[in-house]
């Protein structure tokens, strides 16, 4: 689709008119919406992709990541849970574990899993800008925790949800 997102979005919508049950098209639409930070619409597209193809792991991971970005911890956990059962050679398992640790505000464990997931994934896709950006966000959270006097990397009292939205 190149740099012209509007043209790409229009092309995807045209294709969806002909192939409304193609989960890859809903995923692509969601990815474009996410790039524009339209998280609710992106989550709706990813959700539709998963309704069509429940085992579409990449869509499931992206839905979890989007839900975290939107501050919806319950939705993130629900989306990511099936990925935690993937085999150990699957990068998405480690990346989902990293997000699960992030949701519990276990920052050290989150970083470890996210980095390992990127290493496992490296041979398939190369570095993932979204995960690199998330690691930068976690570093900011760690610094903020130290400034607040909370031990960095430890689970907070509200481990059932992150203390801050990750943006």
């Amino acid at each position: 689709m190149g740099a012209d997102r509007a043209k790409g979005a229009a092309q995807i919508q045209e294709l969806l008119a002909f192939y409304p049950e193609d989960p890859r098209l809903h995923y692509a639409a969601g990815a474009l919406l996410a790039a524009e930070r339209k998280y609710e619409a992106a989550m709706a597209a990813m959700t539709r992709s998963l309704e069509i193809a429940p085992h579409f792991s990449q869509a499931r991971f992206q839905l979890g990541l989007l839900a975290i970005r939107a501050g919806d911890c319950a939705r993130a956990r629900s989306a990511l849970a099936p990925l935690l059962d993937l085999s150990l050679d699957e990068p998405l398992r480690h990346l989902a574990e990293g997000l699960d640790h992030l949701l519990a505000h276990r920052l050290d464990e989150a970083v470890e899993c996210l980095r390992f997931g990127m290493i496992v994934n490296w041979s398939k896709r190369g570095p993932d800008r979204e995960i690199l950006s998330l690691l930068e966000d976690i570093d900011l959270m760690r610094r903020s925790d130290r400034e607040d006097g909370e031990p960095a990397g430890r689970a907070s009292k509200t481990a059932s949800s992150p203390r801050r939205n990750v943006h």
Side-chain angles (χ1 to χ4, degrees):
M1 287 179 227
D4 191 351
R5 286 189 185 142
K7 185 177 178 181
Q11 289 173 337
I12 290 171
Q13 292 306 314
E14 285 177 30
L15 288 168
L16 277 169
F18 289 103
Y19 308 102
E21 297 300 311
D22 188 328
R24 298 166 299 174
L25 291 173
H26 292 282
Y27 175 86
L32 281 176
L33 291 163
E36 296 173 3
R37 296 180 185 215
K38 296 178 180 176
Y39 297 130
E40 286 300 323
M43 286 189 291
M46 293 296 173
T47 298
R48 180 66 186 128
S49 178
L50 287 169
E51 288 169 355
I52 298 166
H55 298 294
F56 189 176
S57 295
Q58 188 64 38
R60 184 166 296 288
F61 177 76
Q62 288 300 321
L63 178 58
L65 190 57
L66 286 165
I68 288 172
R69 294 268 187 214
D72 189 341
C73 299
R75 190 173 191 178
R77 279 202 167 95
S78 175
L80 295 168
L83 298 177
L84 300 174
D85 293 329
L86 294 174
S87 69
L88 290 174
D89 63 339
E90 289 291 332
L92 288 178
R93 176 189 174 145
H94 302 286
L95 295 172
E97 285 177 353
L99 296 182
D100 190 57
H101 286 302
L102 178 61
L103 288 166
H105 204 70
R106 295 185 300 266
L107 303 183
D108 293 339
E109 293 90 342
V111 167
E112 184 179 327
C113 290
L114 291 169
R115 286 184 178 158
F116 187 74
M118 284 181 57
I119 291 167
V120 174
N121 198 32
W122 193 280
S123 64
K124 295 180 182 180
R125 296 183 12 170
D128 188 323
R129 288 182 298 180
E130 184 68 24
I131 300 302
L132 290 171
S133 173
L134 188 59
L135 287 167
E136 290 174 8
D137 292 342
I138 292 171
D139 187 51
L140 290 172
M141 291 172 68
R142 285 173 154 169
R143 281 189 251 158
S144 176
D145 284 351
R146 283 191 284 266
E147 291 169 7
D148 292 345
E150 182 177 321
R154 291 255 172 96
S156 71
K157 294 176 190 168
T158 59
S160 61
S161 65
R163 296 172 348 118
R164 302 169 190 81
N165 286 344
V166 178
H167 292 286

